[in-house]
Amino acid sequence: NHSHLSGTDPFYLEWVLKVRVNTQAVLKRAQQIQGGKVAKKQWQAAWLLKAVTCIDLTTLAGDDTPSNVHRLCMKATQPIRHDLLKSMDMHDKGITTAAVCVYPSRVADAVKSLKAANSSLPVASVATGFPAGQTPLKTRLEEVQMAVEDGATEIDIVINRTLALTGQWRALYDEIRQFREACGDAHMKTILAVGELGTFTNVYKASLVSMMAGSDFIKTSTGKESVNATYPVAIVMVRAIRDYCLRTGYKVGFKPAGGIRTAQESLVWLTLMKEELGDEWLSPHLFRLGASSLLADIERQIYHYVTGRYPAYHELPMA
């Protein structure tokens, strides 16, 4: 619902320029979250299944082919082995990942695979010159339009980091607005590439500008930068989401991505959302985990929860 875009121009420059982030406070809070309690043992399987339903199962590789995209789609529609779900009485709850995420050229493959499997799972596509965003605006917009035409219902765009680093907030806002238009009815997730923004203050400002321009989600990273989703940066982004919600009434989602590989980390991310934004943000509607290898570890931990032992290598299919 993008009704916050109608009517007057919702770009509040004074708000953006006033921002100062207290680095020490952010680092301290991030340490609390990281060292804090996650769900108790008996609830962990439930939390892990919740994490599965929030995953954007992703492949973004130069060697993607129709066949590995097909495999990804099949895994997304049945992420956890049926017998494991059955022993937890969760086999009939329709547990799937939240979406699959691919490059624009692979959207049609994914749509076809899911359609053949009779699945309504959304296909997300990265776009706008992913991962660097250093291509002409014209082609970045065309990429969005083509992905949508091929059947993507979610678009993960990347911002132009140059504009953020040089303080051109208005220009950044205008670009993201154009991406928003190009998305049409598709949901837009805006990737900040936090590892390339330099300071927490820049991360906060980029978060605000992205939300003002109509993003449905803000996302940490492309997974291609050397620094990806870290807890301190996440704190800055979710505080921006909270402030934006308090000020405008609009709830924007959050998606950490890049380097999230273990079941334990997924529990920390869910805990962070619960503590910082509340239970409403514990659903795929407002929280996504961008991941490729994470699912295999979650399935391993669920196997352990059910059977009391870890699976041998051959006992779980590859993700």
Side-chain angles (χ1 to χ4, degrees), residues 40-59:
K40 289 194 169 56
K41 269 284 180 277
Q42 74 260 40
W43 305 119
Q44 268 184 14
W47 279 74
L48 289 175
L49 288 179
K50 166 65 79 179
V52 167
T53 65
C54 294
I55 291 176
D56 280 355
L57 196 61
T58 302
T59 185

Side-chain angles (χ1 to χ4, degrees), residues 105-305:
S105 307
R106 302 269 69 85
V107 169
D109 296 339
V111 169
K112 188 178 163 200
S113 289
L114 290 166
K115 197 171 178 177
N118 209 0
S119 166
S120 58
L121 210 67
V123 175
S125 173
V126 296
T128 70
F130 180 98
Q134 295 279 18
T135 53
L137 181 59
K138 182 174 184 290
T139 60
R140 281 183 283 151
L141 287 163
E142 283 169 354
E143 218 178 6
V144 175
Q145 284 151 356
M146 289 164 79
V148 171
E149 279 164 23
D150 278 346
T153 54
E154 306 185 355
I155 305 290
D156 289 30
I157 63 151
V158 292
I159 66 164
N160 180 335
R161 276 79 98 189
T162 308
L163 294 177
L165 290 167
T166 53
Q168 300 179 69
W169 301 111
R170 174 88 225 188
L172 179 62
Y173 171 84
D174 289 337
E175 275 201 358
I176 301 172
R177 277 300 292 250
Q178 290 184 63
F179 298 150
R180 167 77 268 164
E181 299 279 300
C183 283
D185 293 333
H187 279 206
M188 184 172 80
K189 307 192 203 95
T190 300
I191 304 170
L192 305 184
V194 291
E196 298 178 346
L197 289 179
T199 66
F200 287 151
T201 296
N202 270 349
V203 168
Y204 189 101
K205 289 178 176 180
S207 299
L208 273 188
V209 171
S210 300
M211 291 187 285
M212 290 172 188
S215 306
D216 296 291
F217 273 74
I218 52 177
K219 173 175 167 183
T220 58
S221 323
T222 65
K224 310 290 185 191
E225 294 91 45
S226 50
V227 176
N228 295 297
T230 66
Y231 300 118
V233 146
I235 295 292
V236 174
M237 290 174 69
V238 298
R239 292 285 168 102
I241 288 172
R242 191 200 295 182
D243 295 343
Y244 188 76
C245 183
L246 288 170
R247 185 140 167 189
T248 68
Y250 288 99
K251 297 183 171 107
V252 175
F254 176 67
K255 177 176 171 180
I260 303 171
R261 296 199 175 90
T262 68
Q264 175 64 21
E265 284 169 273
S266 70
L267 295 177
V268 177
W269 283 110
L270 285 169
T271 305
L272 185 151
M273 298 311 287
K274 184 178 169 67
E275 292 194 3
E276 287 287 320
L277 290 168
D279 289 352
E280 207 180 333
W281 266 265
L282 288 179
S283 87
H285 178 61
L286 289 168
F287 178 64
R288 298 290 178 86
L289 281 160
S292 41
S293 57
L294 170 65
L295 181 56
D297 191 56
I298 291 182
E299 195 171 16
R300 230 174 82 79
Q301 299 303 332
I302 287 176
Y303 185 101
H304 182 268
Y305 175 85

Side-chain angles (χ1 to χ4, degrees), residues 57-135:
L57 196 61
T58 302
T59 185
L60 295 167
D63 55 4
D64 285 339
T65 59
S67 65
N68 80 304
V69 168
H70 177 72
R71 231 184 16 245
L72 185 88
C73 291
M74 294 306 92
K75 191 67 187 162
T77 57
Q78 207 189 333
I80 305 293
R81 233 171 61 178
H82 187 262
D83 59 313
L84 297 177
L85 289 176
K86 200 163 168 58
S87 52
M88 293 187 287
D89 201 27
M90 291 296 287
H91 55 291
D92 53 0
K93 302 288 189 286
I95 287 186
T96 66
T97 67
V100 296
C101 180
V102 295
Y103 271 119
S105 307
R106 302 269 69 85
V107 169
D109 296 339
V111 169
K112 188 178 163 200
S113 289
L114 290 166
K115 197 171 178 177
N118 209 0
S119 166
S120 58
L121 210 67
V123 175
S125 173
V126 296
T128 70
F130 180 98
Q134 295 279 18
T135 53

